[in-house]
Short mmCIF file of all heavy atoms in Angstrom, two decimals:
data_model
loop_
_atom_site.label_atom_id
_atom_site.label_comp_id
_atom_site.label_asym_id
_atom_site.label_seq_id
_atom_site.Cartn_x
_atom_site.Cartn_y
_atom_site.Cartn_z
N TYR A 1520 -4.98 -116.94 -61.02
CA TYR A 1520 -4.22 -115.70 -60.83
C TYR A 1520 -3.15 -115.57 -61.92
O TYR A 1520 -2.97 -114.49 -62.50
CB TYR A 1520 -3.59 -115.71 -59.45
CG TYR A 1520 -2.74 -114.49 -59.14
CD1 TYR A 1520 -3.32 -113.25 -58.95
CD2 TYR A 1520 -1.35 -114.61 -59.02
CE1 TYR A 1520 -2.55 -112.13 -58.65
CE2 TYR A 1520 -0.57 -113.49 -58.73
CZ TYR A 1520 -1.18 -112.26 -58.54
OH TYR A 1520 -0.40 -111.17 -58.25
N LEU A 1521 -2.44 -116.66 -62.20
CA LEU A 1521 -1.39 -116.62 -63.23
C LEU A 1521 -1.98 -116.35 -64.61
O LEU A 1521 -1.37 -115.65 -65.42
CB LEU A 1521 -0.61 -117.94 -63.23
CG LEU A 1521 0.28 -118.18 -62.02
CD1 LEU A 1521 0.94 -119.56 -62.11
CD2 LEU A 1521 1.35 -117.10 -61.89
N GLU A 1522 -3.16 -116.88 -64.87
CA GLU A 1522 -3.80 -116.61 -66.16
C GLU A 1522 -4.19 -115.14 -66.26
O GLU A 1522 -4.06 -114.53 -67.33
CB GLU A 1522 -5.03 -117.51 -66.33
CG GLU A 1522 -5.75 -117.34 -67.66
CD GLU A 1522 -4.87 -117.61 -68.87
OE1 GLU A 1522 -3.91 -118.40 -68.76
OE2 GLU A 1522 -5.15 -117.00 -69.94
N GLN A 1523 -4.65 -114.57 -65.16
CA GLN A 1523 -4.98 -113.14 -65.16
C GLN A 1523 -3.72 -112.30 -65.36
O GLN A 1523 -3.76 -111.29 -66.07
CB GLN A 1523 -5.67 -112.77 -63.84
CG GLN A 1523 -7.06 -113.35 -63.70
CD GLN A 1523 -7.64 -113.15 -62.31
OE1 GLN A 1523 -6.91 -113.02 -61.33
NE2 GLN A 1523 -8.96 -113.12 -62.22
N LEU A 1524 -2.61 -112.72 -64.75
CA LEU A 1524 -1.35 -112.02 -64.95
C LEU A 1524 -0.92 -112.10 -66.42
O LEU A 1524 -0.45 -111.11 -67.00
CB LEU A 1524 -0.25 -112.62 -64.07
CG LEU A 1524 -0.27 -112.29 -62.58
CD1 LEU A 1524 0.87 -113.00 -61.88
CD2 LEU A 1524 -0.17 -110.78 -62.36
N ARG A 1525 -1.08 -113.28 -66.99
CA ARG A 1525 -0.71 -113.47 -68.38
C ARG A 1525 -1.51 -112.53 -69.29
O ARG A 1525 -0.96 -111.88 -70.19
CB ARG A 1525 -0.95 -114.93 -68.78
CG ARG A 1525 -0.65 -115.26 -70.23
CD ARG A 1525 -0.86 -116.74 -70.48
NE ARG A 1525 -0.62 -117.07 -71.86
CZ ARG A 1525 -1.53 -116.97 -72.83
NH1 ARG A 1525 -2.75 -116.55 -72.54
NH2 ARG A 1525 -1.23 -117.29 -74.07
N GLU A 1526 -2.80 -112.44 -69.03
CA GLU A 1526 -3.64 -111.57 -69.84
C GLU A 1526 -3.26 -110.10 -69.65
O GLU A 1526 -3.27 -109.31 -70.60
CB GLU A 1526 -5.11 -111.79 -69.48
CG GLU A 1526 -5.64 -113.16 -69.91
CD GLU A 1526 -7.05 -113.42 -69.43
OE1 GLU A 1526 -7.60 -112.54 -68.75
OE2 GLU A 1526 -7.59 -114.50 -69.74
N ALA A 1527 -2.92 -109.74 -68.39
CA ALA A 1527 -2.52 -108.36 -68.12
C ALA A 1527 -1.24 -108.01 -68.86
O ALA A 1527 -1.08 -106.90 -69.40
CB ALA A 1527 -2.33 -108.16 -66.61
N LEU A 1528 -0.30 -108.96 -68.93
CA LEU A 1528 0.95 -108.72 -69.64
C LEU A 1528 0.72 -108.64 -71.15
O LEU A 1528 1.27 -107.78 -71.83
CB LEU A 1528 1.96 -109.84 -69.34
CG LEU A 1528 2.56 -109.83 -67.94
CD1 LEU A 1528 3.53 -110.99 -67.79
CD2 LEU A 1528 3.28 -108.52 -67.67
N LEU A 1529 -0.11 -109.54 -71.66
CA LEU A 1529 -0.37 -109.54 -73.10
C LEU A 1529 -1.07 -108.25 -73.54
O LEU A 1529 -0.89 -107.80 -74.67
CB LEU A 1529 -1.21 -110.76 -73.48
CG LEU A 1529 -0.47 -112.11 -73.40
CD1 LEU A 1529 -1.43 -113.26 -73.67
CD2 LEU A 1529 0.69 -112.15 -74.38
N ASP A 1530 -1.83 -107.65 -72.63
CA ASP A 1530 -2.48 -106.38 -72.94
C ASP A 1530 -1.46 -105.27 -73.18
O ASP A 1530 -1.75 -104.30 -73.88
CB ASP A 1530 -3.42 -105.95 -71.80
CG ASP A 1530 -4.71 -106.77 -71.79
OD1 ASP A 1530 -5.01 -107.41 -72.81
OD2 ASP A 1530 -5.39 -106.77 -70.75
N HIS A 1531 -0.26 -105.43 -72.59
CA HIS A 1531 0.79 -104.42 -72.74
C HIS A 1531 1.90 -104.86 -73.70
O HIS A 1531 2.85 -104.12 -73.91
CB HIS A 1531 1.41 -104.11 -71.37
CG HIS A 1531 0.48 -103.40 -70.43
ND1 HIS A 1531 -0.46 -104.06 -69.66
CD2 HIS A 1531 0.32 -102.08 -70.16
CE1 HIS A 1531 -1.14 -103.17 -68.95
NE2 HIS A 1531 -0.68 -101.98 -69.22
N ALA A 1532 1.77 -106.06 -74.25
CA ALA A 1532 2.83 -106.59 -75.11
C ALA A 1532 2.71 -106.06 -76.53
O ALA A 1532 1.63 -105.67 -76.99
CB ALA A 1532 2.77 -108.11 -75.12
N ARG A 1533 3.85 -106.08 -77.21
CA ARG A 1533 3.90 -105.67 -78.61
C ARG A 1533 4.59 -106.80 -79.38
O ARG A 1533 5.81 -106.93 -79.33
CB ARG A 1533 4.69 -104.38 -78.77
CG ARG A 1533 4.26 -103.30 -77.79
CD ARG A 1533 5.26 -102.16 -77.71
NE ARG A 1533 5.08 -101.37 -76.50
CZ ARG A 1533 5.87 -100.36 -76.15
NH1 ARG A 1533 6.88 -100.01 -76.93
NH2 ARG A 1533 5.65 -99.70 -75.03
N GLY A 1534 3.79 -107.60 -80.03
CA GLY A 1534 4.35 -108.72 -80.77
C GLY A 1534 5.08 -109.71 -79.89
O GLY A 1534 6.12 -110.25 -80.27
N GLY A 1535 4.52 -109.97 -78.70
CA GLY A 1535 5.13 -110.94 -77.79
C GLY A 1535 6.27 -110.36 -76.98
O GLY A 1535 6.95 -111.11 -76.27
N LYS A 1536 6.48 -109.06 -77.06
CA LYS A 1536 7.55 -108.42 -76.30
C LYS A 1536 6.97 -107.28 -75.47
O LYS A 1536 5.92 -106.74 -75.80
CB LYS A 1536 8.64 -107.88 -77.23
CG LYS A 1536 9.36 -108.97 -78.02
CD LYS A 1536 10.46 -108.39 -78.89
CE LYS A 1536 11.19 -109.47 -79.67
NZ LYS A 1536 12.29 -108.91 -80.48
N VAL A 1537 7.68 -106.95 -74.39
CA VAL A 1537 7.17 -105.93 -73.48
C VAL A 1537 8.33 -105.22 -72.81
O VAL A 1537 9.39 -105.80 -72.61
CB VAL A 1537 6.24 -106.59 -72.43
CG1 VAL A 1537 7.01 -107.50 -71.51
CG2 VAL A 1537 5.46 -105.56 -71.67
N THR A 1538 8.16 -103.93 -72.48
CA THR A 1538 9.18 -103.20 -71.73
C THR A 1538 9.03 -103.51 -70.25
O THR A 1538 7.97 -103.95 -69.80
CB THR A 1538 9.06 -101.69 -71.94
OG1 THR A 1538 7.83 -101.24 -71.36
CG2 THR A 1538 9.09 -101.33 -73.42
#
Side-chain angles (χ1 to χ4, degrees):
Y1520 178 70
L1521 291 177
E1522 182 58 28
Q1523 291 171 335
L1524 284 179
R1525 178 177 179 275
E1526 292 174 359
L1528 288 180
L1529 289 175
D1530 285 343
H1531 292 83
R1533 311 166 198 176
K1536 297 182 179 182
V1537 67
T1538 66

